[in-house]
Amino acid sequence: MLFAAALGLGPLGAQPANAATNLVRNPGLEILDGPSQFPQCFEKSGWGDNDFSFAVTGDAHSGSRAVRIELTRRADGDRKTMMLENACAPQVTPAHQYDLSFWYKSTTPDVAFTLFRHDTVQGWVYWTDLKTLAQSAAWTRTEVRTPVIPPGTDRITWGGALYGVGTLTTDDYAMTDATVPAGPDPCATGGTGPECRGEWTVQTAEMPVRAMHSVLLHNGKVLLIAGSGNDLDMFEAGTFKTSLYDPVTGGYTAVPTPEDFFCAGHVQLPDGRVLVVGGNKDYAAPDGSVGYKGLRSSYVYDPGQNKYIKVNDMLAGHWYPSATAMGNGDVISLGGLAEDSSGTVVNEHFSYAQNKWLPLGEAKQAWSFWGLYPSMILLQDGRLFYTGSHVFGNGLPGTGASVYDYEAGTIADVPGLRKKDERDQSMSVLLPPAQDQKVATIGGGNHTVAPDAHGLVDLIDMKADSPRYVPGPDLPKGRYRDGTPQTGAEGKVYVSAVILPDGKVLETGGALHTYREDPVFEASLYDPATNTFQAGLATDPVPRTYHSSSLLLPDGRVLSVGDNPGDGSFDQRVSLYKPPYLFKGDRPQITSVAGTNWTYGTDQRITVDKPVVKASLIRPAAITHSSDPNQRYVDLPMTVDGNTVDLSLTSNPNLAPPGWYMLSVVDANGVPSVSKWVRIGAAGQVAAARVQDFAEGLRAAPASETDTAVPESTDHSDHQNHQGHEGVEMPAGFDGCDHSYGTISQCVPWTFPKKLNTVAERCDWLAENGYGTALKVSGRDRHGLDRVKDGIACGKGDVTKKRS
């Protein structure tokens, strides 16, 4: 197998199965339509700016006719021969899969096997590109299995799409039902055990650090970054921590940590190192006169050496920055706080090839403020989608979501996001598969004004001409610590959402308010195919609120860590979740992988020990503050011959940015294999992306003309302000915390819940939630908790007599 792979993969299924019924009408293209003299039930299709011709030719694979397409000039778009979008299109059954094939010759490798589906509500829609076809001077058969047909789909149409100058000739189309039957679902017949709810276990050994950040490495270990752990004493002592956790042994290894990476950004690089972006230069002043300050420093964690290695400084300081991996392996970082506590408007661009941050003039600037931990998801055409998920305070002006073209410097508002000023520490996920370009934004609140968190889920299809968020199903209701159920519009902030290998999304953890009050115990599975939540899963017994995170492990379990450090508490236990699929029978196994270095646009051969229905790549997590914009699940269309499977990797690096991924297969019962690690684009190869024409209806104005451009700037002046572009003044309490009470690391809410109206009620609430009593007042007593003016809030004299 390895020898054959080194020479190039031989074709699977060289001939269609004799017993299978071909569902394609006029499959050999022999019958011509009278008026058009084009093969009956087929059409000339395509889009874009290109010069093309279609011809019926006698140079056929069999019979006397085939169709030849020629492109002589191409700016964008494609041309393709496909079944007509009417009764000629083959009928399909939801939950089934089909093997599609045709014979072809081409003079260019710029050919994609493309697939459309007829949705009973939306009509005909582009579905996905199944594979990229190799250039071939001789007749060659290509075959691929469809993904599982989604609900509401009754017909499909498909064919070869030519998207480069050259010719493509096709003939002898075939489509057969290849469905692998699933076993009975125990949950559909009243089952309530772990096969329906999953199972949590809590590790007895505590983490040696307060994990603010969690990063899964390609060696299967988890990097837990604390920095100072939101502890001023640790910061002043210069005690910064990182620990390496091994989920297999349960052991921890300390990692020397040179600076305070508390609230830094982080992202996986193509070679498996972790880029750490900025961090905490200094804590906020107790009186609120100066906020937190961002570091310009940046480091790379090298798993091979288990150490941080410094790279050059960034253009500006960044505390709470985003970090998005691009299709060429570079990283774009936006937002956060600068060295002077202002909101930075400086974009940062890390060149992977040069292993450094680019200087001003090479790092492209929009001079826009993107907030703190702005969720910036890479789209298939290389643009960035700001989903509206962020940390602290209100959302950005305008609609609260936008598409940013980094190369062109344009920003286009995206409409439809509900409660855009209450998406603080919501979570946004590029839903499985990445090829669908659909995003869910889940839950959220507002750290500054502290309303009840909501349970809204908004969905957007970035394949649409004019994308807009639409309402999805609300989050299922959970329970509070005392067992009281959630009611009304109550939802969650601090949501964790984890993509699983079966293509569903686990959401877990959270709280009713954007501080430690009222953790919510609830977990569910969201299914993108049906747009529904499976409620009632087992729940993590450990509260997972502020600074919590959850991630997928290679064995299919989910790890959850973290809790609120702002009031001096932090639960340092690790929880591990076994999803229901781990209780539904024997797991399929990947028994061999021909190679672990994968090139874009190629087929990769694996063997399995039993029939499987899907295969995928999942990018390892790098998460903090409900934010991992790089999380993605990339579908791998399959060509199946018994237990030998060829997997088709996309040719578009924007769909699967280069790096290490977890490869898994799933059987008909939804049970996944243990993952194998493979590296995509290992040699730095970036294929010519086949980019679809999506989201073109959005107005793309220069950044300086949009609502997301820089708000009123301050008079602060430091080296982050370039060419007169100054940082954005952050309002007092932007982080939702009043630092005037107790120690500087305590986060007394900037605004108390509405039900707490008297001094006594507020002081009782502070005591009940672990803040203590008799808090030192080091700044302005804006809550009026020091009634006797002795410098102590909630002291004996403040809450006696009328307790008002």
Side-chain angles (χ1 to χ4, degrees), residues 432-505:
Q435 287 92 333
D436 279 1
Q437 296 286 279
K438 293 180 179 178
V439 174
T441 294
I442 304 169
N446 186 311
H447 210 96
T448 305
V449 298
D452 289 350
H454 60 79
L456 301 180
V457 176
D458 283 351
L459 305 170
I460 190 166
D461 182 355
M462 298 306 295
K463 295 197 310 296
D465 289 337
S466 299
R468 65 177 296 118
Y469 273 109
V470 297
D474 288 352
L475 281 173
K477 300 298 182 187
R479 292 182 177 272
Y480 300 112
R481 194 190 301 269
D482 63 359
T484 302
Q486 289 192 297
T487 59
E490 293 174 344
K492 296 197 298 186
V493 70
Y494 309 133
V495 180
S496 287
V498 181
I499 294 174
L500 301 179
D502 63 354
K504 297 178 182 178
V505 179

Side-chain angles (χ1 to χ4, degrees), residues 680-749:
I680 307 306
Q685 175 260 352
V686 175
R690 171 168 149 74
V691 176
Q692 299 290 342
D693 190 20
F694 302 150
E696 291 305 312
L698 297 171
R699 180 180 65 87
S704 60
E705 298 177 12
T706 69
D707 289 332
T708 43
V710 185
E712 276 188 43
S713 61
T714 73
D715 293 328
H716 295 157
S717 177
D718 69 2
H719 47 263
Q720 86 113 17
N721 301 321
H722 299 282
Q723 301 176 359
H725 296 281
E726 298 174 339
V728 176
E729 184 175 13
M730 303 304 295
F734 76 94
D735 60 354
C737 301
D738 194 325
H739 299 283
S740 299
Y741 300 97
T743 66
I744 192 173
S745 61
Q746 282 189 294
C747 178
V748 173

Side-chain angles (χ1 to χ4, degrees), residues 255-323:
V255 182
T257 307
E259 296 192 55
D260 190 4
F261 298 151
F262 163 51
C263 295
H266 37 61
V267 64
Q268 311 267 3
L269 293 174
D271 57 8
R273 295 176 300 152
V274 178
L275 179 65
V276 179
V277 183
N280 181 39
K281 181 180 179 181
D282 201 358
Y283 279 72
D287 63 2
S289 60
V290 179
Y292 286 91
K293 298 177 180 179
L295 283 173
R296 293 179 69 210
S297 304
S298 182
Y299 290 78
V300 169
Y301 172 78
D302 184 344
Q305 302 182 63
N306 191 35
K307 66 183 293 186
Y308 290 105
I309 301 169
K310 196 176 190 307
V311 294
N312 65 313
D313 287 350
M314 296 178 288
L315 295 170
H318 293 272
W319 185 72
Y320 282 66
S322 69

Side-chain angles (χ1 to χ4, degrees), residues 414-690:
V414 174
L417 182 65
R418 295 176 292 173
K419 289 186 178 287
K420 65 102 174 174
D421 288 331
E422 295 180 30
R423 292 294 182 167
D424 175 358
Q425 283 168 110
S426 59
M427 189 160 186
S428 293
V429 182
L430 179 63
L431 294 170
Q435 287 92 333
D436 279 1
Q437 296 286 279
K438 293 180 179 178
V439 174
T441 294
I442 304 169
N446 186 311
H447 210 96
T448 305
V449 298
D452 289 350
H454 60 79
L456 301 180
V457 176
D458 283 351
L459 305 170
I460 190 166
D461 182 355
M462 298 306 295
K463 295 197 310 296
D465 289 337
S466 299
R468 65 177 296 118
Y469 273 109
V470 297
D474 288 352
L475 281 173
K477 300 298 182 187
R479 292 182 177 272
Y480 300 112
R481 194 190 301 269
D482 63 359
T484 302
Q486 289 192 297
T487 59
E490 293 174 344
K492 296 197 298 186
V493 70
Y494 309 133
V495 180
S496 287
V498 181
I499 294 174
L500 301 179
D502 63 354
K504 297 178 182 178
V505 179
L506 170 72
E507 66 82 19
T508 181
L512 180 63
H513 296 117
T514 49
Y515 36 86
R516 198 168 185 265
E517 186 191 24
D518 298 329
V520 176
F521 296 87
E522 180 273 331
S524 67
L525 286 172
Y526 175 74
D527 186 347
T530 61
N531 190 28
T532 57
F533 283 98
Q534 177 190 339
L537 299 186
T539 60
D540 189 345
V542 179
R544 300 296 181 190
T545 60
Y546 189 33
H547 282 297
S548 64
S549 57
S550 300
L551 56 81
L552 176 70
L553 295 173
D555 63 8
R557 295 180 298 168
V558 174
L559 174 146
S560 289
V561 297
D563 195 12
N564 177 40
D567 61 1
S569 70
F570 192 91
D571 196 308
Q572 293 185 204
R573 292 177 292 171
V574 174
S575 296
L576 292 169
Y577 179 61
K578 291 182 178 179
Y581 54 53
L582 294 182
F583 299 91
K584 291 187 176 180
D586 293 338
R587 306 181 71 170
Q589 297 181 45
I590 301 174
T591 53
S592 71
V593 180
T596 57
N597 293 322
W598 290 14
T599 302
Y600 290 107
T602 60
D603 285 351
Q604 300 292 331
R605 184 162 293 174
I606 65 171
T607 58
V608 295
D609 69 339
K610 61 188 293 190
V612 296
V613 301
K614 69 173 69 172
S616 68
L617 297 174
I618 296 181
R619 187 177 177 91
I623 185 166
T624 187
H625 289 78
S626 301
S627 181
D628 183 3
N630 300 293
Q631 184 180 200
R632 60 184 55 213
Y633 169 115
V634 181
D635 183 47
L636 296 172
M638 305 186 303
T639 303
V640 181
D641 185 4
N643 287 351
T644 301
V645 183
D646 282 352
L647 306 175
S648 297
L649 176 63
T650 177
S651 63
N652 187 348
N654 295 325
L655 287 174
W660 286 92
Y661 286 76
M662 290 180 282
L663 165 67
S664 63
V665 295
V666 176
D667 70 14
N669 293 321
V671 181
S673 66
V674 172
S675 294
K676 302 286 189 180
W677 288 99
V678 297
R679 184 177 173 186
I680 307 306
Q685 175 260 352
V686 175
R690 171 168 149 74

Side-chain angles (χ1 to χ4, degrees), residues 207-209 217 221-225 241-246 249-257 301 303 305-308:
M207 296 181 294
V209 300
L217 306 175
K221 298 180 181 179
V222 182
L223 190 69
L224 302 172
I225 304 174
K241 293 183 178 182
T242 301
S243 188
L244 190 64
Y245 173 61
D246 187 336
T249 66
Y252 295 88
T253 303
V255 182
T257 307
Y301 172 78
Q305 302 182 63
N306 191 35
K307 66 183 293 186
Y308 290 105

